[in-house]
Amino acid sequence: MTKSLTVKHAVFDLLRAFGIDRVFGNPGSTELPFLSDWPDGIDYVLGLQEASVVGMADGYAQATRNAGFVNLHSGAGVGNALGNIYTAHRNQTPLVITAGQQARSILPLQAFLYAERASEFPRPYVKYSVEPARAEDVPAAIARAYYTAMQPPCGPTFVSIPIDDWTHPAQPVSARQVTREIGPDPQGMKALAAALSESQNPALVVGPGVDRAEAVALTVKVAEKAKAAVWVSPFSARCSFPERHPQFAGFLHASPSQVSEALRPNDLVVVIGAPVFTFHVEGQAAIFDGATTIFQITDDPDAAAVTPVGTSIIATMKPALSLLLELLPETKRAAPRGRELPAAPTAADPLPVDYLLHALSKAMPDDAALVEEAPSHRPAMQKFLPMRGQDSFYTMSSGGLGYSLPAAVGIALGRPERRTVCLIGDGSAMYSIQALWTAAQRRLPLTVVVINNQGYGAMRSFSHVMQVRNVPGLDLPGIDFVAIAQGMGCDAVRVTKSSELVPMLKRSMTHQGVSLVEVMVDSAVPMLYARTGRV
């Protein structure tokens, strides 16, 4: 062994070799040997709660397309973070998550802060999880965790590290090149190209895997050559097609009957970078009855395995779409007519959410990224806040709240040259409001728009849909987001009238640092899963 090299130094050398320049964490006693004499060139990003730490690392990883590195405090910290670890799993975000463990010598005594079977705690929502058998095995475990996290389908990994391992002697572990693109089966792609050529009315359903793979431009070329309508898959967490494109048909609801209704005119459906399909409510999925031919391109073998009908092609997006574009013949089909955007909403008091979203669309810089967590207002957002495509939109695939505000902080850290906008409901904001402190400390170019309807709007809507009454816990009066934000060092204003909205949004977008705009909106309940295929 090299006497001068320790586990800690070997791990930092690996991080540099992997291009990891930030560590996201919330420190505790079991992490202090790792944190002591912190090296130059690696930025420690402090979050004030572990779930926010993981959310920040998730956003940063998505922005930079490299694994985020997380350091949590013991098993208790992992417990605090589990909600956003699950979201990272569903988002397919590459993360290497580490957590402190008590010293090996006192683990048999069930010491304070020890975790029994620590590697089992975050399963099954990590791709790889280990507490190395020996201290000198830690660098190799970190390397394996990184390669596994970055291999499609990407996802979080976990390494539990006893407190006394960091100072143990270690051998260096060299970073290796591991290729990540997976080529498609040629025969499967030829069958897909033939089906598209023979189809009378094809549709593409694009999901978050397209945007993650930086394949939006390729998807546009395929759609234009195939002259196919393009839908967004249910609950897509990214924008994988320009939403003002003339072939853009709209957003599929997470309802079996409504997906089937929307795609009923199409004899061929090609699902790209998404499951077939993500549902939220029960219903008859006539789309699976055999009248519609279904193909799927996915980098996730599990997603292919659970697809109920049709042909699945396992491949990463760029090689698959490049080959499909090459194989597709020219077609004489007329290009389909896309959706028609509604007229601009009018101002009113109390302030309608539609008017807020339309005004936000006009106020955002062209290159801004929107991070959203306002589930009750998503149908209105899809109408009045169309996204431009690649790297323009992020949300959580899990449905678990508390992700988007810290994720917006991570995205702003990863792309400091452009504005990040977090659109969030008042109920969602309270899950991770402490993330504002990190953003304020770093003067990040972040605008946070809080839609305040003084309650859990999605739950109000579902109570109507499910015809249940007198449900407690849906109202949230008395929360002052301006005071909270100012207390953490942010610029903050409240909008109560429609006449105030546009000037306050414009001001916020140009503020040097973090600016929060709390917008008091009409508390009318939007109806989710309206009986229509297009939104």
Side-chain angles (χ1 to χ4, degrees):
M1 289 206 177
T2 304
K3 293 290 186 182
S4 60
L5 189 72
T6 64
V7 167
K8 174 180 172 178
H9 293 127
V11 168
F12 277 125
D13 287 345
L14 267 177
L15 297 189
R16 295 184 187 98
F18 292 146
I20 293 174
D21 57 359
R22 284 191 165 98
V23 170
F24 295 81
N26 182 268
S29 58
T30 53
E31 292 70 52
L32 285 175
F34 173 63
L35 300 174
S36 65
D37 299 318
W38 192 256
D40 295 333
I42 296 180
D43 183 15
Y44 184 84
V45 181
L46 174 61
L48 302 186
Q49 202 266 359
E50 287 91 345
S52 285
V53 167
V54 172
M56 290 177 198
D58 186 319
Y60 187 74
Q62 292 198 57
T64 61
R65 290 187 168 83
N66 194 14
F69 193 92
V70 179
N71 184 232
L72 302 177
H73 175 41
S74 72
V78 177
N80 285 340
L82 273 178
N84 274 340
I85 293 173
Y86 172 67
T87 292
H89 161 73
R90 293 302 301 267
N91 282 354
Q92 296 187 3
T93 301
L95 298 179
V96 176
I97 302 168
T98 61
Q101 169 69 293
Q102 260 297 0
R104 292 178 185 271
S105 63
I106 57 174
L107 283 179
L109 302 176
Q110 298 187 346
F112 185 68
L113 289 176
Y114 100 112
E116 186 174 356
R117 299 197 297 269
S119 65
E120 296 180 24
F121 195 11
R123 294 181 187 271
Y125 304 118
V126 291
K127 295 179 67 180
Y128 166 70
S129 188
V130 68
E131 183 172 284
R134 305 177 303 166
E136 54 265 42
D137 297 331
V138 169
I142 296 287
R144 181 177 174 183
Y146 176 81
Y147 300 132
T148 303
M150 291 293 290
Q151 194 66 27
C154 296
T157 56
F158 178 76
V159 183
S160 172
I161 305 171
I163 186 173
D164 49 342
D165 282 8
W166 293 108
T167 56
H168 195 87
Q171 291 180 328
V173 175
S174 299
R176 302 185 301 113
Q177 291 295 319
V178 179
T179 63
R180 300 183 186 116
E181 296 288 8
I182 303 169
D185 172 60
Q187 295 305 313
M189 295 304 296
K190 288 178 182 178
L192 171 55
L196 276 166
S197 177
E198 296 165 4
S199 171
Q200 299 298 310
N201 188 16
L204 308 183
V205 176
V206 297
V210 172
D211 192 22
R212 284 197 299 264
E214 297 182 277
V216 174
L218 259 177
T219 303
V220 171
K221 290 179 180 179
V222 168
E224 290 175 346
K225 190 171 184 180
K227 295 182 179 177
V230 181
W231 292 87
V232 170
S233 64
F235 285 128
S236 179
R238 301 284 286 264
C239 178
S240 294
F241 200 82
E243 293 171 13
R244 294 186 185 274
H245 191 282
Q247 288 172 231
F248 182 66
F251 299 82
L252 294 176
H253 289 290
S255 158
S257 60
Q258 289 169 278
V259 166
S260 302
E261 178 186 345
L263 298 176
R264 182 166 46 84
N266 305 107
D267 58 345
L268 172 67
V269 172
V270 184
V271 182
I272 306 172
V276 183
F277 293 96
T278 300
F279 296 133
H280 190 197
V281 294
E282 292 182 292
Q284 172 60 31
I287 186 73
F288 298 149
D289 288 349
T292 304
T293 300
I294 296 177
F295 277 80
Q296 177 191 34
I297 300 173
T298 179
D299 64 7
D300 185 350
D302 286 342
V306 301
T307 297
V309 296
T311 300
S312 292
I313 299 169
I314 298 174
T316 49
M317 298 301 108
K318 282 188 175 179
L321 291 170
S322 296
L323 180 56
L324 181 57
L325 188 64
E326 178 185 327
L327 292 173
L328 270 178
E330 299 296 334
T331 179
K332 295 181 179 180
R333 283 190 301 265
R337 183 174 61 88
R339 67 168 181 168
E340 294 182 7
L341 290 173
T346 56
D349 293 313
L351 208 150
V353 170
D354 293 359
Y355 182 72
L356 162 61
L357 297 172
H358 183 264
L360 181 59
S361 177
K362 299 295 184 183
M364 285 173 53
D366 291 340
D367 63 350
L370 182 77
V371 190
E372 175 264 332
E373 194 172 299
S376 60
H377 301 300
R378 193 166 294 166
M381 184 195 72
Q382 292 166 347
K383 290 180 183 178
F384 297 106
L385 191 52
M387 295 286 99
R388 71 177 184 281
Q390 188 71 55
D391 296 330
S392 63
F393 175 74
Y394 304 84
T395 189
M396 73 292 190
S397 296
S398 65
L401 302 182
Y403 165 77
S404 291
L405 184 52
V409 175
I411 290 168
L413 275 168
R415 298 200 182 109
E417 72 284 354
R418 68 180 190 175
R419 199 80 185 172
T420 299
V421 179
C422 180
L423 178 68
I424 193 163
D426 54 333
S428 295
M430 290 307 298
Y431 280 73
S432 54
I433 196 68
Q434 68 278 353
L436 285 175
W437 181 87
T438 303
Q441 290 292 307
R442 292 169 174 269
R443 296 184 59 81
L444 296 178
L446 174 64
T447 291
V448 179
V449 179
V450 178
I451 306 175
N452 192 341
N453 61 5
Q454 301 186 69
Y456 293 119
M459 294 302 296
R460 290 171 177 168
S461 179
F462 275 115
S463 67
H464 287 300
V465 171
M466 300 171 69
Q467 298 183 353
V468 294
R469 296 176 175 82
N470 301 320
V471 179
L474 303 188
D475 297 326
L476 300 173
I479 301 175
D480 188 339
F481 288 96
V482 170
I484 293 171
Q486 290 175 341
M488 294 192 187
C490 303
D491 171 78
V493 295
R494 179 179 295 108
V495 172
T496 60
K497 298 179 180 179
S498 58
S499 59
E500 303 166 343
L501 180 63
V502 172
M504 290 298 99
L505 288 176
K506 288 182 177 178
R507 173 186 173 278
S508 180
M509 296 297 168
T510 58
H511 180 76
Q512 297 300 306
V514 185
S515 178
L516 180 142
V517 182
E518 179 184 11
V519 185
M520 311 302 295
V521 299
D522 187 345
S523 60
V525 176
M527 186 59 67
L528 301 177
Y529 301 116
R531 303 298 298 176
T532 176
R534 289 176 184 263
V535 294

